[in-house]
Amino acid sequence: MSTRIRLDVTRMMADAVGKEFGASTEEIEKSWPRVEAILQGLEARRKNGELPFYDLPDDMDTVERIEEYAAKARSKFKNVVILGIGGSALGPIALQESLKPLLWNSRPDDLRDAPRLFVPDNPDPEYVGAVLDLCDPKETLFNVVTKSGTTAETISQFTAVLSILKEQVGEEWRNHLVFTTDPAKGSLRQIARTEGINTFSIPTAIGGRFSVLTAVGLLPAALLGIDIRALLAGAAEQRELVFNRSFDENPSAAFALLQYLAQTKRNQNIHVMMPYSNALYRVADWFRQLWAESLGKKSNIHGETVHTGPTPIAALGSTDQHSQVQLFVEGPYDKTFTLLLPQQYRRSIKAGKHFPDMDGIDYLAGEDIGTLLKAEGEATQRALTAAHRPNMAFTFESITPEVVGGLMYLFEAATLVGGGLYEVNPLDQPGVEAGKVATYALMGRQGYEDVRADIERERERPTRIIPNRRD
Ligand code: PA5
């Protein structure tokens, strides 16, 4: 089944939003050779085995192992809890929200064909505690997901859960754990080896935010009963396009170039992704991390200090028409918009006819509320365009595993092209590492004593606090 994900760039263009605000055909033609060179470089690196992300759709051995494990675990556990953060959490959340009925975990057992899935991706004791309140350890599988095997948030949750498991399920505790981690390195891999815990690998050269199509996303998806072969088939279909050398035949590179030009030529620094679908909202949230962490960098690949990168924001149609759209339409000219527009929703709910004598109510009678939502998407496109705000749209028939796999692959490929355009390394995250190191120091991890001493010195500096007292 073809995904037919189309990218409509009409309203990104100067013709639609004005010369000052949109891209011109000449500008695209002038910049395109750079994109071609970037694609050539990416293709060469792929051939060298440096970018295994492109070939994840072919990893059928992993698919088979995951399917086999998931089939058994699905019948055994009522709950799956993912312990992970960042790239280890956002992909699974996006897959659950887009491909299982919304409010999945609130459904009664007879309206669910697979376990509930919780992802408490913050070491907030109130959040983690609330999840644990709902999940009896005897009926729960904990999927610990960390590429490095050392992330403090994840390790703290894992060891807390381990105490609970040992206390409540005794010798069985190992069977309530499955790890997803680096194939060779890290503490988690070491624990898996010593304790004999079921483990899936994240290929060495694939970082967190590019890992949704590895076991990081595929295992939770399979545990939920999502067709992971269809997800990968959608990704494989996009792979046919991502190296195309024509702007009109390469939606991921066209997306990257238009966003790059908008920021660097017209100061449109904020990139809003706005699905008209609750199910896709967390895909926009996943994209937010992908775009921000990959392209927001202090140094470029030449070692120069550049402090570059776009600021991605997620918004939801139509909910945020009553929240942020006022700013989007009338505020500063510093944004681009990418709408995700399903042409059909997977459910139909019709407005009723009850007040024929009143104005402004029964014109909706008999209409599907999805038709209203679609109309609102189109209305927002018109409003943004009339207000000179460049906007583009990805359209597709409806939300399927193929479409979600395709969209995620397309955005990952676009991010690699974006890295080339901004001349940054899209695969590292030195800014995140700095925060991780400071956390280790604050929490007393061995080997971080010098950082801790620096922090203590900084704490002695005079502070300026507004006490907010009423005395
Ligand atoms: O995309 C990334 O690399 C990061 O967001 C990581 O996923 C995040 O920091 C968690 O790291 P790890 O998977 O090593 O625990």
PDB file of all heavy atoms in Angstrom, residues 109-133:
ATOM      1  N   ASP A 109     -10.300  -3.299  29.856  1.00  0.00           N
ATOM      2  CA  ASP A 109      -9.598  -4.437  29.241  1.00  0.00           C
ATOM      3  C   ASP A 109     -10.272  -4.946  27.972  1.00  0.00           C
ATOM      4  O   ASP A 109      -9.608  -5.308  27.004  1.00  0.00           O
ATOM      5  CB  ASP A 109      -9.504  -5.598  30.245  1.00  0.00           C
ATOM      6  CG  ASP A 109      -8.523  -5.256  31.368  1.00  0.00           C
ATOM      7  OD1 ASP A 109      -7.841  -4.215  31.245  1.00  0.00           O
ATOM      8  OD2 ASP A 109      -8.472  -6.014  32.354  1.00  0.00           O
ATOM      9  N   ASP A 110     -11.628  -4.965  27.954  1.00  0.00           N
ATOM     10  CA  ASP A 110     -12.287  -5.546  26.772  1.00  0.00           C
ATOM     11  C   ASP A 110     -12.237  -4.614  25.556  1.00  0.00           C
ATOM     12  O   ASP A 110     -12.633  -5.006  24.468  1.00  0.00           O
ATOM     13  CB  ASP A 110     -13.738  -5.945  27.102  1.00  0.00           C
ATOM     14  CG  ASP A 110     -14.565  -4.776  27.573  1.00  0.00           C
ATOM     15  OD1 ASP A 110     -13.969  -3.776  28.031  1.00  0.00           O
ATOM     16  OD2 ASP A 110     -15.800  -4.846  27.481  1.00  0.00           O
ATOM     17  N   LEU A 111     -11.749  -3.402  25.740  1.00  0.00           N
ATOM     18  CA  LEU A 111     -11.570  -2.515  24.580  1.00  0.00           C
ATOM     19  C   LEU A 111     -10.095  -2.353  24.224  1.00  0.00           C
ATOM     20  O   LEU A 111      -9.706  -1.402  23.550  1.00  0.00           O
ATOM     21  CB  LEU A 111     -12.181  -1.137  24.865  1.00  0.00           C
ATOM     22  CG  LEU A 111     -13.707  -1.031  24.776  1.00  0.00           C
ATOM     23  CD1 LEU A 111     -14.145   0.413  24.958  1.00  0.00           C
ATOM     24  CD2 LEU A 111     -14.209  -1.550  23.428  1.00  0.00           C
ATOM     25  N   ARG A 112      -9.267  -3.241  24.733  1.00  0.00           N
ATOM     26  CA  ARG A 112      -7.833  -3.207  24.394  1.00  0.00           C
ATOM     27  C   ARG A 112      -7.391  -4.591  23.946  1.00  0.00           C
ATOM     28  O   ARG A 112      -7.762  -5.583  24.572  1.00  0.00           O
ATOM     29  CB  ARG A 112      -6.993  -2.798  25.609  1.00  0.00           C
ATOM     30  CG  ARG A 112      -6.841  -1.295  25.765  1.00  0.00           C
ATOM     31  CD  ARG A 112      -5.816  -0.930  26.827  1.00  0.00           C
ATOM     32  NE  ARG A 112      -6.228  -1.368  28.145  1.00  0.00           N
ATOM     33  CZ  ARG A 112      -5.739  -2.447  28.750  1.00  0.00           C
ATOM     34  NH1 ARG A 112      -4.796  -3.168  28.189  1.00  0.00           N
ATOM     35  NH2 ARG A 112      -6.182  -2.808  29.932  1.00  0.00           N
ATOM     36  N   ASP A 113      -6.586  -4.654  22.884  1.00  0.00           N
ATOM     37  CA  ASP A 113      -6.099  -5.955  22.410  1.00  0.00           C
ATOM     38  C   ASP A 113      -4.613  -6.143  22.758  1.00  0.00           C
ATOM     39  O   ASP A 113      -3.948  -7.022  22.227  1.00  0.00           O
ATOM     40  CB  ASP A 113      -6.302  -6.059  20.889  1.00  0.00           C
ATOM     41  CG  ASP A 113      -5.626  -4.928  20.129  1.00  0.00           C
ATOM     42  OD1 ASP A 113      -5.001  -4.063  20.790  1.00  0.00           O
ATOM     43  OD2 ASP A 113      -5.716  -4.894  18.888  1.00  0.00           O
ATOM     44  N   ALA A 114      -4.096  -5.264  23.620  1.00  0.00           N
ATOM     45  CA  ALA A 114      -2.669  -5.332  23.969  1.00  0.00           C
ATOM     46  C   ALA A 114      -2.466  -4.604  25.302  1.00  0.00           C
ATOM     47  O   ALA A 114      -3.385  -3.910  25.771  1.00  0.00           O
ATOM     48  CB  ALA A 114      -1.848  -4.674  22.854  1.00  0.00           C
ATOM     49  N   PRO A 115      -1.271  -4.715  25.895  1.00  0.00           N
ATOM     50  CA  PRO A 115      -1.050  -4.062  27.202  1.00  0.00           C
ATOM     51  C   PRO A 115      -1.179  -2.540  27.135  1.00  0.00           C
ATOM     52  O   PRO A 115      -1.115  -1.944  26.056  1.00  0.00           O
ATOM     53  CB  PRO A 115       0.403  -4.427  27.534  1.00  0.00           C
ATOM     54  CG  PRO A 115       0.791  -5.510  26.631  1.00  0.00           C
ATOM     55  CD  PRO A 115      -0.093  -5.463  25.440  1.00  0.00           C
ATOM     56  N   ARG A 116      -1.353  -1.950  28.306  1.00  0.00           N
ATOM     57  CA  ARG A 116      -1.250  -0.495  28.403  1.00  0.00           C
ATOM     58  C   ARG A 116       0.232  -0.132  28.317  1.00  0.00           C
ATOM     59  O   ARG A 116       1.093  -0.945  28.655  1.00  0.00           O
ATOM     60  CB  ARG A 116      -1.814  -0.010  29.741  1.00  0.00           C
ATOM     61  CG  ARG A 116      -3.235  -0.477  29.990  1.00  0.00           C
ATOM     62  CD  ARG A 116      -3.837   0.152  31.224  1.00  0.00           C
ATOM     63  NE  ARG A 116      -3.190  -0.305  32.453  1.00  0.00           N
ATOM     64  CZ  ARG A 116      -3.537   0.081  33.671  1.00  0.00           C
ATOM     65  NH1 ARG A 116      -4.532   0.948  33.836  1.00  0.00           N
ATOM     66  NH2 ARG A 116      -2.921  -0.368  34.738  1.00  0.00           N
ATOM     67  N   LEU A 117       0.527   1.085  27.834  1.00  0.00           N
ATOM     68  CA  LEU A 117       1.940   1.493  27.754  1.00  0.00           C
ATOM     69  C   LEU A 117       2.103   2.854  28.427  1.00  0.00           C
ATOM     70  O   LEU A 117       1.415   3.817  28.060  1.00  0.00           O
ATOM     71  CB  LEU A 117       2.390   1.597  26.298  1.00  0.00           C
ATOM     72  CG  LEU A 117       3.835   2.070  26.130  1.00  0.00           C
ATOM     73  CD1 LEU A 117       4.817   0.904  26.194  1.00  0.00           C
ATOM     74  CD2 LEU A 117       4.041   2.797  24.815  1.00  0.00           C
ATOM     75  N   PHE A 118       2.995   2.902  29.407  1.00  0.00           N
ATOM     76  CA  PHE A 118       3.280   4.151  30.107  1.00  0.00           C
ATOM     77  C   PHE A 118       4.736   4.533  29.860  1.00  0.00           C
ATOM     78  O   PHE A 118       5.609   3.671  29.862  1.00  0.00           O
ATOM     79  CB  PHE A 118       3.063   3.990  31.613  1.00  0.00           C
ATOM     80  CG  PHE A 118       1.643   3.655  31.984  1.00  0.00           C
ATOM     81  CD1 PHE A 118       1.218   2.324  32.071  1.00  0.00           C
ATOM     82  CD2 PHE A 118       0.720   4.652  32.235  1.00  0.00           C
ATOM     83  CE1 PHE A 118      -0.090   2.003  32.408  1.00  0.00           C
ATOM     84  CE2 PHE A 118      -0.592   4.346  32.585  1.00  0.00           C
ATOM     85  CZ  PHE A 118      -0.999   3.024  32.664  1.00  0.00           C
ATOM     86  N   VAL A 119       4.973   5.830  29.654  1.00  0.00           N
ATOM     87  CA  VAL A 119       6.355   6.288  29.454  1.00  0.00           C
ATOM     88  C   VAL A 119       6.610   7.492  30.378  1.00  0.00           C
ATOM     89  O   VAL A 119       6.503   8.642  29.955  1.00  0.00           O
ATOM     90  CB  VAL A 119       6.612   6.692  27.972  1.00  0.00           C
ATOM     91  CG1 VAL A 119       8.105   6.891  27.731  1.00  0.00           C
ATOM     92  CG2 VAL A 119       6.047   5.669  26.997  1.00  0.00           C
ATOM     93  N   PRO A 120       6.940   7.237  31.642  1.00  0.00           N
ATOM     94  CA  PRO A 120       7.202   8.361  32.549  1.00  0.00           C
ATOM     95  C   PRO A 120       8.595   8.938  32.290  1.00  0.00           C
ATOM     96  O   PRO A 120       9.551   8.623  32.991  1.00  0.00           O
ATOM     97  CB  PRO A 120       7.092   7.714  33.932  1.00  0.00           C
ATOM     98  CG  PRO A 120       7.446   6.279  33.713  1.00  0.00           C
ATOM     99  CD  PRO A 120       7.073   5.929  32.306  1.00  0.00           C
ATOM    100  N   ASP A 121       8.692   9.810  31.258  1.00  0.00           N
ATOM    101  CA  ASP A 121      10.011  10.240  30.782  1.00  0.00           C
ATOM    102  C   ASP A 121      10.522  11.467  31.536  1.00  0.00           C
ATOM    103  O   ASP A 121      11.028  12.414  30.921  1.00  0.00           O
ATOM    104  CB  ASP A 121       9.970  10.509  29.267  1.00  0.00           C
ATOM    105  CG  ASP A 121       8.949  11.557  28.882  1.00  0.00           C
ATOM    106  OD1 ASP A 121       8.029  11.818  29.676  1.00  0.00           O
ATOM    107  OD2 ASP A 121       9.066  12.117  27.773  1.00  0.00           O
ATOM    108  N   ASN A 122      10.383  11.426  32.844  1.00  0.00           N
ATOM    109  CA  ASN A 122      10.917  12.499  33.679  1.00  0.00           C
ATOM    110  C   ASN A 122      11.087  11.919  35.080  1.00  0.00           C
ATOM    111  O   ASN A 122      10.172  11.260  35.570  1.00  0.00           O
ATOM    112  CB  ASN A 122       9.910  13.662  33.717  1.00  0.00           C
ATOM    113  CG  ASN A 122      10.557  14.950  34.146  1.00  0.00           C
ATOM    114  OD1 ASN A 122      11.777  15.075  34.137  1.00  0.00           O
ATOM    115  ND2 ASN A 122       9.751  15.922  34.526  1.00  0.00           N
ATOM    116  N   PRO A 123      12.224  12.175  35.720  1.00  0.00           N
ATOM    117  CA  PRO A 123      12.372  11.596  37.061  1.00  0.00           C
ATOM    118  C   PRO A 123      11.627  12.444  38.090  1.00  0.00           C
ATOM    119  O   PRO A 123      12.178  12.813  39.123  1.00  0.00           O
ATOM    120  CB  PRO A 123      13.886  11.632  37.281  1.00  0.00           C
ATOM    121  CG  PRO A 123      14.346  12.811  36.503  1.00  0.00           C
ATOM    122  CD  PRO A 123      13.427  12.927  35.310  1.00  0.00           C
ATOM    123  N   ASP A 124      10.409  12.767  37.786  1.00  0.00           N
ATOM    124  CA  ASP A 124       9.561  13.516  38.711  1.00  0.00           C
ATOM    125  C   ASP A 124       8.860  12.462  39.573  1.00  0.00           C
ATOM    126  O   ASP A 124       8.076  11.653  39.061  1.00  0.00           O
ATOM    127  CB  ASP A 124       8.553  14.333  37.900  1.00  0.00           C
ATOM    128  CG  ASP A 124       7.553  15.054  38.789  1.00  0.00           C
ATOM    129  OD1 ASP A 124       7.397  14.650  39.958  1.00  0.00           O
ATOM    130  OD2 ASP A 124       6.925  16.002  38.306  1.00  0.00           O
ATOM    131  N   PRO A 125       9.156  12.440  40.873  1.00  0.00           N
ATOM    132  CA  PRO A 125       8.615  11.355  41.700  1.00  0.00           C
ATOM    133  C   PRO A 125       7.094  11.310  41.668  1.00  0.00           C
ATOM    134  O   PRO A 125       6.493  10.235  41.831  1.00  0.00           O
ATOM    135  CB  PRO A 125       9.147  11.670  43.102  1.00  0.00           C
ATOM    136  CG  PRO A 125       9.622  13.083  43.055  1.00  0.00           C
ATOM    137  CD  PRO A 125       9.969  13.393  41.644  1.00  0.00           C
ATOM    138  N   GLU A 126       6.466  12.470  41.438  1.00  0.00           N
ATOM    139  CA  GLU A 126       4.991  12.474  41.410  1.00  0.00           C
ATOM    140  C   GLU A 126       4.487  11.766  40.146  1.00  0.00           C
ATOM    141  O   GLU A 126       3.442  11.131  40.150  1.00  0.00           O
ATOM    142  CB  GLU A 126       4.485  13.912  41.487  1.00  0.00           C
ATOM    143  CG  GLU A 126       4.872  14.555  42.819  1.00  0.00           C
ATOM    144  CD  GLU A 126       4.431  15.993  42.949  1.00  0.00           C
ATOM    145  OE1 GLU A 126       3.610  16.446  42.141  1.00  0.00           O
ATOM    146  OE2 GLU A 126       4.936  16.663  43.870  1.00  0.00           O
ATOM    147  N   TYR A 127       5.240  11.921  39.052  1.00  0.00           N
ATOM    148  CA  TYR A 127       4.848  11.286  37.783  1.00  0.00           C
ATOM    149  C   TYR A 127       5.159   9.783  37.826  1.00  0.00           C
ATOM    150  O   TYR A 127       4.290   8.936  37.587  1.00  0.00           O
ATOM    151  CB  TYR A 127       5.603  11.983  36.645  1.00  0.00           C
ATOM    152  CG  TYR A 127       5.253  11.580  35.236  1.00  0.00           C
ATOM    153  CD1 TYR A 127       4.064  10.904  34.946  1.00  0.00           C
ATOM    154  CD2 TYR A 127       6.100  11.890  34.174  1.00  0.00           C
ATOM    155  CE1 TYR A 127       3.757  10.546  33.633  1.00  0.00           C
ATOM    156  CE2 TYR A 127       5.792  11.535  32.867  1.00  0.00           C
ATOM    157  CZ  TYR A 127       4.621  10.867  32.611  1.00  0.00           C
ATOM    158  OH  TYR A 127       4.326  10.534  31.325  1.00  0.00           O
ATOM    159  N   VAL A 128       6.395   9.463  38.194  1.00  0.00           N
ATOM    160  CA  VAL A 128       6.790   8.048  38.239  1.00  0.00           C
ATOM    161  C   VAL A 128       5.901   7.317  39.251  1.00  0.00           C
ATOM    162  O   VAL A 128       5.392   6.217  38.984  1.00  0.00           O
ATOM    163  CB  VAL A 128       8.287   7.912  38.611  1.00  0.00           C
ATOM    164  CG1 VAL A 128       8.698   6.451  38.688  1.00  0.00           C
ATOM    165  CG2 VAL A 128       9.154   8.653  37.591  1.00  0.00           C
ATOM    166  N   GLY A 129       5.667   7.965  40.388  1.00  0.00           N
ATOM    167  CA  GLY A 129       4.827   7.362  41.430  1.00  0.00           C
ATOM    168  C   GLY A 129       3.416   7.115  40.925  1.00  0.00           C
ATOM    169  O   GLY A 129       2.812   6.063  41.186  1.00  0.00           O
ATOM    170  N   ALA A 130       2.876   8.081  40.169  1.00  0.00           N
ATOM    171  CA  ALA A 130       1.510   7.933  39.662  1.00  0.00           C
ATOM    172  C   ALA A 130       1.422   6.742  38.706  1.00  0.00           C
ATOM    173  O   ALA A 130       0.434   5.995  38.710  1.00  0.00           O
ATOM    174  CB  ALA A 130       1.078   9.215  38.955  1.00  0.00           C
ATOM    175  N   VAL A 131       2.468   6.552  37.889  1.00  0.00           N
ATOM    176  CA  VAL A 131       2.480   5.397  36.973  1.00  0.00           C
ATOM    177  C   VAL A 131       2.564   4.101  37.778  1.00  0.00           C
ATOM    178  O   VAL A 131       1.807   3.149  37.534  1.00  0.00           O
ATOM    179  CB  VAL A 131       3.652   5.513  35.963  1.00  0.00           C
ATOM    180  CG1 VAL A 131       3.847   4.212  35.196  1.00  0.00           C
ATOM    181  CG2 VAL A 131       3.417   6.680  34.998  1.00  0.00           C
ATOM    182  N   LEU A 132       3.437   4.083  38.776  1.00  0.00           N
ATOM    183  CA  LEU A 132       3.603   2.854  39.571  1.00  0.00           C
ATOM    184  C   LEU A 132       2.324   2.521  40.349  1.00  0.00           C
ATOM    185  O   LEU A 132       1.998   1.351  40.550  1.00  0.00           O
ATOM    186  CB  LEU A 132       4.816   2.968  40.504  1.00  0.00           C
ATOM    187  CG  LEU A 132       6.170   3.076  39.770  1.00  0.00           C
ATOM    188  CD1 LEU A 132       7.315   3.279  40.759  1.00  0.00           C
ATOM    189  CD2 LEU A 132       6.445   1.857  38.891  1.00  0.00           C
ATOM    190  N   ASP A 133       1.579   3.559  40.747  1.00  0.00           N
ATOM    191  CA  ASP A 133       0.294   3.321  41.427  1.00  0.00           C
ATOM    192  C   ASP A 133      -0.652   2.489  40.552  1.00  0.00           C
ATOM    193  O   ASP A 133      -1.480   1.736  41.045  1.00  0.00           O
ATOM    194  CB  ASP A 133      -0.427   4.657  41.694  1.00  0.00           C
ATOM    195  CG  ASP A 133       0.210   5.441  42.832  1.00  0.00           C
ATOM    196  OD1 ASP A 133       1.029   4.863  43.553  1.00  0.00           O
ATOM    197  OD2 ASP A 133      -0.118   6.646  42.969  1.00  0.00           O
TER     198      ASP A 133
END
